[in-house]
Structures are given as C-alpha cells and as structure tokens.
Amino acid sequence: MSSLVKEDLEKKLFKPLAQNLCEFIEIEFSVQDRYYLCVSVTKTDEVKIIMVKHYRVGLDEKYEVTKKWSLNDLQMIDGKEADTDNPFFDLHFKKVYSLEAYSCASKYSFARTVNRLNHVYLKKDLHIVNFDSTYINDDSIWSSNNKDCLVLMRICFYAFNLVCLSLCPLPL
C-alpha cells in the first residue's frame, strides 16, 4: 500500500516540482484528512521537508503542500522519549512543530532518512535527541537499507543468544 502511495506522490507532486522523494511517513495531524511528512531532494541537491495533505475529489487522489521547510533550517529532531515506544516527535525550526507519526517505526524511519541526507548533502551538526541511537546511525551494527527489518533482526539476535545460553550446561 505505501509503495502505491509513494508512486502516486512522486507522479502527481514531486516529479512536477523536479524533486526526488526519498521518504514519507503518515502523520496524525487532522481527524478528517490524511497528512504525510515527506523528505525530498531537489535537482540542486537541496533537501526539503514537506507536509502534504491528501484528499479525494471524486475518484481522483489529490495532494496539497501545506508546509515546506529546508533541511538547512532544521535545528533538532526531538523524539520525546527514547525509552518508550511512542510516535510523538518535535521538529525544531524557528518554530517547534509537535507531530505524531502513524507508528514509532515510521518516526525512526523519518529520523534515519533525515540523518542520512544531512550527512550526504549538508554535513551540518543536526541534533537528534531522545531517539535510540542504535536505530538512527548508519554506522551501527543494526543499520540496514531494509528499515522494516531492524527491530526484527535485533529480536532474533537476542532470541538466538537466549537459546544458546539455555543449551549451555550449568556447572555443579
């Protein structure tokens, strides 16, 4: 489903703007409409963070840009609480925007993408706080291009260790 939405966003919104959509997450912003938080790169290698409203007119899907920021203006991403599984986070520009992602996993996916694009294009000191750094940094052992498998990999690793430890004989 998300790949179909991504294709539709690219075709109807980002390609006409000459931008490459790198990541998008659904955010809880309004009860009536769907909103997406998107990260894109322009042809001049400028990274944009865009809030998009999704609505229908008859059978046609429509997208409208409601807010647009440059990654260069982003000062900090605050994940609220690193120790709990919550979808809330703040984007600190000149103003602080409190957002709720569809899931905690999508919040981390967004932060990973912003962090990666910052390292590739800007190399500025971007503060990402109240996130588990194991899942944010690309240099960690758990980083992967397949972002959906990160948590599953870690659970399997711990389960394997528990099985191995349970098979070890105890000295008497």
Side-chain angles (χ1 to χ4, degrees):
M1 176 75 175
S2 65
S3 61
L4 295 175
V5 173
K6 185 174 182 180
E7 279 182 33
D8 205 34
L9 275 167
E10 285 176 330
K11 182 174 84 175
K12 293 180 179 174
L13 188 65
F14 288 95
K15 292 295 180 195
L17 295 172
Q19 295 181 15
N20 181 27
L21 177 62
C22 298
E23 181 70 62
F24 80 100
I25 63 168
E26 186 172 349
I27 56 173
E28 305 288 331
F29 194 72
S30 166
V31 176
Q32 298 169 343
D33 298 308
R34 293 176 108 172
Y35 282 83
Y36 300 111
L37 192 60
C38 307
V39 182
S40 65
V41 179
T42 66
K43 289 195 184 244
T44 58
D45 291 340
E46 187 178 358
V47 181
K48 297 287 186 182
I49 299 171
I50 302 171
M51 186 182 297
V52 176
K53 178 181 175 183
H54 176 210
Y55 59 95
R56 290 182 189 204
V57 176
L59 296 175
D60 197 24
E61 307 283 336
K62 298 284 185 183
Y63 302 97
E64 177 185 330
V65 174
T66 58
K67 295 195 185 303
K68 184 188 268 189
W69 306 278
S70 172
L71 178 59
N72 202 27
D73 298 331
L74 181 63
Q75 299 158 357
M76 180 172 68
I77 303 175
D78 183 357
K80 301 284 191 172
E81 299 175 30
D83 298 335
T84 60
D85 189 17
N86 75 53
F88 302 100
F89 65 104
D90 292 340
L91 296 178
H92 292 252
F93 294 96
K94 288 182 181 177
K95 179 181 172 187
V96 177
Y97 295 89
S98 294
L99 301 171
E100 179 183 356
Y102 182 74
S103 68
C104 186
S106 63
K107 172 179 86 170
Y108 272 84
S109 177
F110 175 78
R112 266 193 310 274
T113 300
V114 169
N115 190 39
R116 180 176 50 83
L117 292 175
N118 177 53
H119 287 300
V120 170
Y121 294 102
L122 292 177
K123 296 174 181 52
K124 76 172 198 165
D125 186 24
L126 177 63
H127 300 286
I128 300 178
V129 297
N130 294 320
F131 282 90
D132 186 344
S133 63
T134 305
Y135 299 111
I136 296 295
N137 298 323
D138 283 336
D139 60 348
S140 100
I141 190 171
W142 301 109
S143 70
S144 169
N145 289 335
N146 188 359
K147 299 167 194 107
D148 296 335
C149 293
L150 290 175
V151 173
L152 184 59
M153 281 175 39
R154 191 166 192 181
I155 290 169
C156 289
F157 178 76
Y158 286 133
F160 178 75
N161 282 340
L162 287 174
V163 168
C164 289
L165 286 172
S166 69
L167 295 175
C168 293
L170 292 174
L172 296 174

